[in-house]
């Protein structure tokens, strides 16, 4: 399964995007500020020269950003599921994001709710997503079904 997040509307405090699953538009996304970070490493190729470059960039990113206020680098990531203590249940996690830890796809409405993660919902108001819990349920159902069927799930973030 392939998820695609196209970052479309970049503002000073947030980015609104579009989430596609296997080419079909599902809903909007909300992330913190896009600072132009890029990851060219491929998932599961952690010994590649691209990954070594991504790790060097990650160290620079960690020095420059305040956690929770910077969107993750564009690039390709695998998705897995794990238990979130904060949300008290299973959540979708992006794996091996250089310079970032604990990046989830979860519910929330405003840039303050992202904590660096990706929120899903409807962008019907400037700077926020609405109906987030309903859209998260839709996304989770689709992605977790694929994961439970032992499919590899990846997300490409562009823009």
């Amino acid at each position: 399964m392939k998820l695609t997040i196209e970052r479309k509307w970049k503002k000073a405090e947030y980015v609104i995007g579009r989430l596609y699953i296997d080419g079909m538009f599902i809903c909007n996304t909300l992330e913190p500020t896009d600072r132009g970070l890029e990851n060219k490493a491929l998932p599961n190729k952690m010994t590649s020269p691209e990954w070594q470059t991504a790790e060097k960039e990650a160290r620079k990113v960690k020095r420059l950003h305040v956690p929770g206020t910077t969107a993750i680098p564009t690039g390709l990531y695998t998705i897995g599921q794990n238990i979130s203590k904060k949300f008290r249940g299973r959540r979708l996690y992006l794996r091996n994001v250089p310079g970032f830890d604990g990046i989830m796809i979860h519910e929330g409405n405003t840039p303050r709710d992202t904590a660096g993660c990706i929120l899903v919902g409807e962008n019907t108001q400037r700077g926020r997503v609405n109906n987030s819990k309903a859209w998260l349920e839709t996304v989770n159902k689709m992605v977790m079904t694929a994961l439970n069927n032992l499919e590899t799930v990846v997300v490409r973030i562009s823009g």
Side-chain angles (χ1 to χ4, degrees):
M1 172 178 277
K2 183 178 179 183
L3 283 68
T4 303
I5 295 175
E6 290 181 351
R7 292 178 177 160
K8 301 292 280 181
W9 299 279
K10 299 176 184 181
K11 304 298 180 189
E13 294 85 26
Y14 63 88
V15 177
I16 298 290
R18 292 183 172 181
L19 172 67
Y20 299 84
I21 297 181
D22 291 332
M24 182 176 69
F25 175 72
I26 302 298
C27 63
N28 293 110
T29 60
L30 176 65
E31 298 178 79
T33 305
D34 182 349
R35 302 192 194 283
L37 304 174
E38 184 177 11
N39 173 22
K40 294 182 181 179
L42 296 175
N44 304 322
K45 302 276 186 189
M46 295 174 73
T47 58
S48 70
E50 293 85 4
W51 185 261
Q52 292 169 358
T53 299
E55 283 298 302
K56 287 179 188 172
E57 288 297 310
R59 289 191 288 278
K60 183 168 66 174
V61 167
K62 283 183 177 182
R63 288 192 307 268
L64 295 176
H65 89 280
V66 176
T69 65
T70 301
I72 66 171
T74 58
L76 185 67
Y77 304 98
T78 56
I79 293 181
Q81 55 182 318
N82 211 340
I83 301 295
S84 165
K85 290 179 184 177
K86 178 180 178 178
F87 292 103
R88 295 184 178 102
R90 290 202 178 278
R91 289 295 183 267
L92 300 174
Y93 280 83
L94 280 67
R95 295 184 174 151
N96 301 320
V97 180
F100 294 77
D101 293 314
I103 299 299
M104 292 183 276
I105 298 174
H106 64 81
E107 65 272 20
N109 303 110
T110 69
R112 211 171 313 144
D113 299 330
T114 67
C117 296
I118 300 166
L119 308 181
V120 294
E122 300 168 6
N123 178 229
T124 55
Q125 287 179 277
R126 185 175 300 228
R128 60 180 292 131
V129 290
N130 296 314
N131 298 320
S132 187
K133 287 184 181 181
W135 284 108
L136 180 64
E137 189 175 310
T138 298
V139 171
N140 279 348
K141 186 175 180 181
M142 295 172 78
V143 174
M144 289 197 186
T145 297
L147 290 171
N148 291 337
N149 288 333
L150 303 179
E151 289 181 45
T152 297
V153 179
V154 297
V155 59
R156 175 166 302 283
I157 300 175
S158 66

